[in-house]
Amino acid sequence: MALLKIKNLHANVAGKEILKGISLTINAGEMHAIMGPNGTGKSTLSNVIAGRDGYEVTSGEVLLDDNNLLAMSADERARAGVFLAFQYPVEIPGVSTSNFLKTALNAKRRAAGLPEIDAMEFLKLVKAKTKALGIPDDIIKRQLNVGFSGGEKKRAEVLQMTLLEPRIAILDETDSGLDIDALKVVADGVNNLRSADRGFLVITHYQRLLNYIVPDHVHVMSGGRIVASGGKELALTLEAEGYAKYQAA
Amino acid sequence: MAAISQTTAAVRDVEQYKYGFVTDIETERAPKGLNESIIRFISAKKDEPEWMLEWRLKAYRYWLTLGDQEPTWAKVTYPRIDYQDSYYYAAPKQQAKYESLDEVDPKLIETYNKLGIPLKEQQMLAGVAVDAVFDSISVATTYKKKLQELGVIFSPISEAVKTHPELVKKYLGSVVPYSDNFFATLNSAVFTDGSFVYIPKGLRCPMELSTYFRINEKNTGQFERTLIIADEGSYVSYLEGCTAPQRDENQLHAAVVELVALDDAEIKYSTVQNWYPGDENGKGGIYNFVTKRAACRGRNSKVMWTQVETGSSITWKYPSCILQGENSSGEFYSVAITNNRQQADTGTKMIHIGRNTKSRIVSKGISAGRSSNTYRGLVRVQGKADGARNYTQCDSLLIGDRCSANTVPYIESRNPTAQTEHEATTSKISEEQLFYCLQRGMTQEEAVSLIVNGFCKEVLQTLPMEFAVEAQKLVAISLEGSVG
């Protein structure tokens, strides 16, 4: 079952073409990894899927469950089930992590025609999730991402993902700046979320993360295009040989 | 970025003032204009003693000597006010005195219900007593009996003039003298109603006291006068709210609030100001030119001002503390939000006179649309204020790129042992923050409200519980339309 379908996607940033015809299909239950050198458009792809301002799609299609994502605003896409774990999670001073999470969860519940979750119920839910993820639960009282270490920020992203239960989760360089312990917590969280009706797109520069989150498919991106695709072994080849041969192409 | 330009674009479109309705009620007014006979009229209407009338006339005669010398130092602009083109007294026609709330005109009760201020005691928020002021007079005061039993006086000031003349005489004008400034002088001459509060020695007032001001009549100025006295060792928390109908012309609101805290007394004064702000082009709205000052007269006395200013087309307001008593302290927490063409010039004055006096100022200004938002604050440490301390923090948040934020701090220290600290920041709601919230499924409005409430949190959490939630909603409402 095709969950996310990207067809010949072209996109510009500040008038310059960055994505030059990306096609990719992610089926429900699959984990895809996109690898590639810096500056090849990996993050642009995740921002275009999520609907960030400043990214202009010039042609192509992006469908989620056969619905046209490109016609939706960023918040509509999120409520439809697109989740982006940020490379640099943003600080929001004065807003507790729990208040942020509750507001987000309720926005999603409202869109699904569900009643809003009350404070007590929410607290119970979020405590269960932090426990399952092995994240200290005092994180929810702290201001969102303010003064968080790199590891805490990424763990908070996984906590958000766990609560919001997306259809398709995109992890944008989630491994950057993580020590091995933090990387394991993040990977465990992601692995626990793997299910038959959910898809993942993991964007990474390094093979390391893929030792813990094992992809079904690996794609190499270079110059705004997917230049090679394969199974998980492709990641190991890349680790050994580098990106040079794709960059030359 | 597009999110920000959408934000600015939408600021112009929407005006969401849900209190803009007018109550259709028969009104008694004084003739238009200002002269001695109008003042005599007001005084007679209030059935005031001679000394009160004399005080008013003294103020009025002094005001005449000021000519048209309104203060001009604030960063606000408005056309010259014609003081003869306004009514100075308007009151709903009614029987002179209510024995119980059941006798209050149902239309008035309905008006306050619509404003979310139920006057029927059984419907009220537990633990809040309300004085409702409609145009020039107080229409209802709730929980009066219960408070009386405790020795608390909470009544319209027009009543207190008659029932407790000794207290009113002693304290009225003792913090803000009739000659203080142009608008305070005008208020002293023509003030119509407001609240009077006296908390007896040693009493911790068990309920919040609250006054709700409503301007209804056209072309009418509201000049209320509030006087709160906290006797030795007492405590009171007081809240003031206000709204006005949506009208095309500007209306003047020139209030005076005086607080007196004696030894070991504490007053917490919270304002949620939501006067009609005018439309998106700056037409109409209230001129909120208000003098608020507290005298911390006693040792260890404490006054805390909290204000959430979201309304008015122009706000000119500096709730201040005169820290006379040894070891007294003053705090000022402010959120001022301006949108569309609103102008705010607001802040505080902390005057350190006594030894070991402390003050703390936390100001959060949020500007959107084409508005202008200025923090203006004075910290003055006088020669004998050994060990005085001040901490000031001013943060400004800009939404869009056509608004302005200004910070004008004055610090004057005449005592070498004093310590003053000042911190200021200016920031914008970033495209990153907005996108982050949107990506989690929040709408633009939810996102802005969340970010702005986070920015104001330190101030909002000083409000009494019952009102903190309301204030949070108000913050969101006043920025409605500032996002796409």
Side-chain angles (χ1 to χ4, degrees):
Chain A
M1 243 304 281
L3 178 66
L4 184 75
K5 223 184 258 175
I6 302 172
K7 293 187 208 163
N8 197 22
L9 184 67
H10 290 254
N12 291 354
V13 178
K16 189 171 174 238
E17 185 166 65
I18 305 291
L19 301 184
K20 300 173 181 170
I22 301 270
S23 294
L24 178 67
T25 298
I26 298 178
N27 293 316
E30 288 180 351
M31 171 81 65
H32 286 241
I34 291 190
M35 301 184 69
N38 290 327
T40 55
K42 300 192 301 292
S43 286
T44 298
L45 178 62
S46 60
N47 282 319
V48 167
I49 298 170
R52 188 169 193 156
D53 279 337
Y55 294 81
E56 186 201 351
V57 174
T58 50
S59 67
E61 275 189 311
V62 182
L63 305 174
L64 177 71
D65 295 319
D66 289 328
N67 297 314
N68 179 9
L69 269 191
L70 299 179
M72 302 182 201
S73 61
D75 53 319
E76 284 166 347
R77 296 182 201 196
R79 294 192 293 271
V82 175
F83 183 94
L84 174 61
F86 283 57
Q87 182 176 4
Y88 304 107
V90 181
E91 296 183 3
I92 306 191
V95 176
S96 68
T97 302
S98 99
N99 187 18
F100 181 84
L101 288 174
K102 188 159 144 266
T103 309
L105 184 59
N106 279 331
K108 197 158 182 197
R109 288 176 66 98
R110 257 198 326 273
L114 295 169
E116 294 198 4
I117 191 165
D118 69 46
M120 292 305 289
E121 229 181 308
F122 174 76
L123 205 63
K124 246 166 71 185
L125 176 68
V126 79
K127 284 205 164 152
K129 300 288 189 194
T130 47
K131 201 172 166 199
L133 289 167
I135 299 175
D137 66 6
D138 72 330
I139 201 166
I140 64 170
K141 293 184 209 140
R142 293 164 60 190
Q143 301 176 47
L144 186 68
N145 292 325
V146 177
F148 285 22
S149 68
E152 283 173 328
K153 282 185 182 171
K154 298 298 167 72
R155 274 179 277 187
E157 292 290 288
V158 173
L159 174 61
Q160 294 186 34
M161 191 193 303
T162 307
L163 271 168
L164 295 173
E165 302 180 326
R167 298 277 292 135
I168 175 92
I170 305 163
L171 284 76
D172 189 359
E173 307 268 2
T174 294
D175 51 334
S176 68
L178 290 193
D179 62 32
I180 199 73
D181 294 330
L183 191 69
K184 279 181 182 161
V185 171
V186 168
D188 285 349
V190 171
N191 287 329
N192 281 332
L193 276 176
R194 289 183 82 154
S195 77
D197 57 358
R198 183 171 292 137
F200 286 88
L201 180 60
V202 178
I203 291 171
T204 183
H205 188 74
Y206 300 106
Q207 200 281 0
R208 188 178 69 151
L209 178 68
L210 305 181
N211 291 333
Y212 300 95
I213 301 174
V214 181
D216 303 303
H217 300 275
V218 175
H219 311 276
V220 182
M221 200 166 155
S222 182
R225 292 187 183 87
I226 289 178
V227 292
S229 293
K232 63 184 173 199
E233 66 290 343
L234 179 56
L236 295 169
T237 319
L238 283 169
E239 182 80 350
E241 296 175 4
Y243 293 115
K245 83 173 186 198
Y246 299 106
Q247 279 171 304
Chain B
M1 291 266 104
I4 301 294
S5 60
Q6 261 176 25
T7 301
T8 2
V11 164
R12 281 165 287 154
D13 310 335
V14 192
E15 178 52 72
Q16 301 258 6
Y17 189 74
K18 62 175 178 174
Y19 307 106
F21 62 89
V22 178
T23 306
D24 183 17
I25 194 162
E26 229 188 311
T27 306
E28 189 181 9
R29 293 200 283 207
K32 217 176 203 179
L34 184 56
N35 53 53
E36 284 207 12
S37 59
I38 294 289
I39 290 162
R40 287 177 195 280
F41 175 94
I42 294 170
S43 188
K45 270 284 159 202
K46 303 270 173 197
D47 197 17
E48 283 177 352
E50 191 61 25
W51 61 266
M52 194 68 254
L53 174 63
E54 285 309 317
W55 196 75
R56 288 176 181 278
L57 289 172
K58 193 163 64 179
Y60 175 66
R61 287 169 194 146
Y62 180 72
W63 186 74
L64 287 177
T65 69
L66 296 175
D68 290 331
Q69 288 165 27
E70 290 171 31
T72 51
W73 40 262
K75 195 176 165 6
V76 295
T77 53
Y78 55 94
R80 185 164 282 278
I81 298 172
D82 181 355
Y83 291 93
Q84 296 304 334
D85 190 34
S86 185
Y87 294 98
Y88 290 84
Y89 181 86
K93 246 185 202 165
Q94 56 182 353
Q95 59 189 103
K97 259 260 158 6
Y98 299 120
E99 286 310 314
S100 86
L101 281 169
D102 298 336
E103 295 167 31
V104 177
D105 190 320
K107 270 189 185 162
L108 285 173
I109 300 272
E110 197 196 320
T111 300
Y112 284 91
N113 282 340
K114 249 165 123 175
L115 296 169
I117 316 286
L119 296 178
K120 298 271 186 191
E121 291 181 1
Q122 65 272 23
Q123 303 168 353
M124 298 220 15
L125 288 168
V128 184
V130 175
D131 185 17
V133 177
F134 193 83
D135 289 331
S136 302
I137 68 156
S138 168
V139 293
T141 308
T142 62
Y143 286 118
K144 224 169 163 173
K145 240 195 205 123
K146 192 169 174 200
L147 290 166
Q148 252 165 17
E149 286 165 16
L150 296 166
V152 172
I153 306 165
F154 179 41
S155 73
I157 198 157
S158 55
E159 213 175 287
V161 166
K162 287 172 277 183
T163 54
H164 299 88
E166 70 298 340
L167 285 172
V168 178
K169 256 189 192 167
K170 183 169 174 190
Y171 291 107
L172 187 76
S174 76
V175 187
V176 180
Y178 72 86
S179 56
D180 192 79
N181 69 71
F182 186 89
F183 297 114
T185 302
L186 179 62
N187 173 288
S188 302
V190 302
F191 77 88
T192 41
D193 226 326
S195 295
F196 176 81
V197 175
Y198 171 79
I199 311 293
K201 276 184 193 170
L203 180 80
R204 215 182 146 79
C205 186
M207 52 175 84
E208 309 272 348
L209 304 184
S210 168
T211 300
Y212 196 86
F213 296 102
R214 172 76 176 168
I215 298 178
N216 188 60
E217 274 303 293
K218 221 174 157 170
N219 291 329
T220 303
Q222 190 172 43
F223 302 93
E224 86 266 359
R225 185 117 197 163
T226 297
L227 176 58
I228 299 176
I229 302 143
D231 212 330
E232 293 170 18
S234 69
Y235 165 85
V236 65
S237 169
Y238 181 92
L239 185 115
E240 169 200 276
C242 32
T243 55
Q246 207 158 329
R247 293 190 190 282
D248 285 347
E249 78 274 11
N250 296 107
Q251 283 176 283
L252 177 62
H253 172 252
V256 172
V257 174
E258 296 176 280
L259 311 184
V260 180
L262 302 180
D263 285 357
D264 303 301
E266 182 177 347
I267 302 174
K268 188 171 166 175
Y269 192 106
S270 314
T271 303
V272 175
Q273 188 264 107
N274 189 22
W275 295 117
Y276 177 54
D279 70 9
E280 67 277 16
N281 299 312
K283 200 170 169 61
I286 302 291
Y287 292 163
N288 191 34
F289 299 158
V290 169
T291 305
K292 292 186 170 182
R293 195 175 301 153
C296 290
R297 290 211 177 128
R299 291 166 59 98
N300 307 320
S301 58
K302 184 174 174 185
V303 166
M304 181 170 149
W305 297 102
T306 298
Q307 60 173 24
V308 176
E309 303 281 315
T310 62
S312 297
S313 67
I314 303 178
T315 296
W316 179 98
K317 181 181 168 190
Y318 315 89
S320 303
C321 294
I322 299 170
L323 302 166
Q324 246 173 315
E326 193 177 318
N327 216 24
S328 61
S329 74
E331 294 176 14
F332 173 76
Y333 295 93
S334 171
V335 169
I337 300 180
T338 53
N339 197 353
N340 297 320
R341 303 273 181 162
Q342 280 176 279
Q343 307 173 61
D345 192 300
T346 183
T348 185
K349 287 187 268 186
M350 293 290 177
I351 313 295
H352 292 258
I353 299 172
R355 292 174 49 198
N356 293 322
T357 45
K358 294 178 283 298
S359 63
R360 181 180 170 85
I361 300 169
V362 177
S363 163
K364 306 275 180 179
I366 297 123
S367 338
R370 292 169 177 245
S371 66
S372 154
N373 201 329
T374 300
Y375 167 81
R376 187 182 303 277
L378 168 68
V379 175
R380 175 185 291 155
V381 180
Q382 301 205 342
K384 288 185 178 151
D386 292 340
R389 271 176 182 61
N390 161 266
Y391 172 75
T392 301
Q393 184 192 330
C394 294
D395 299 320
S396 306
L397 185 69
L398 302 168
I399 302 176
D401 52 12
R402 285 198 280 195
C403 51
S404 72
N406 308 280
T407 301
V408 190
Y410 304 85
I411 300 171
E412 302 170 7
S413 182
R414 296 198 180 84
N415 187 308
T417 67
Q419 287 179 22
T420 59
E421 267 181 85
H422 180 93
E423 288 177 24
T425 65
T426 301
S427 53
K428 277 191 151 193
I429 290 188
S430 68
E431 191 270 340
E432 282 83 7
Q433 284 177 327
L434 265 183
F435 176 62
Y436 192 62
C437 294
L438 296 179
Q439 212 302 304
R440 298 303 183 245
M442 298 173 206
T443 61
Q444 288 246 22
E445 295 201 339
E446 280 178 311
V448 170
S449 161
L450 190 79
I451 294 166
V452 171
N453 270 302
F455 175 77
C456 305
K457 190 182 182 188
E458 202 181 341
V459 171
L460 296 181
Q461 69 192 6
T462 67
L463 284 171
M465 263 284 261
E466 294 87 337
F467 302 104
V469 178
E470 282 307 304
Q472 277 178 28
K473 283 188 203 148
L474 188 58
V475 166
I477 289 167
S478 50
L479 287 169
E480 236 163 66
S482 71
V483 289

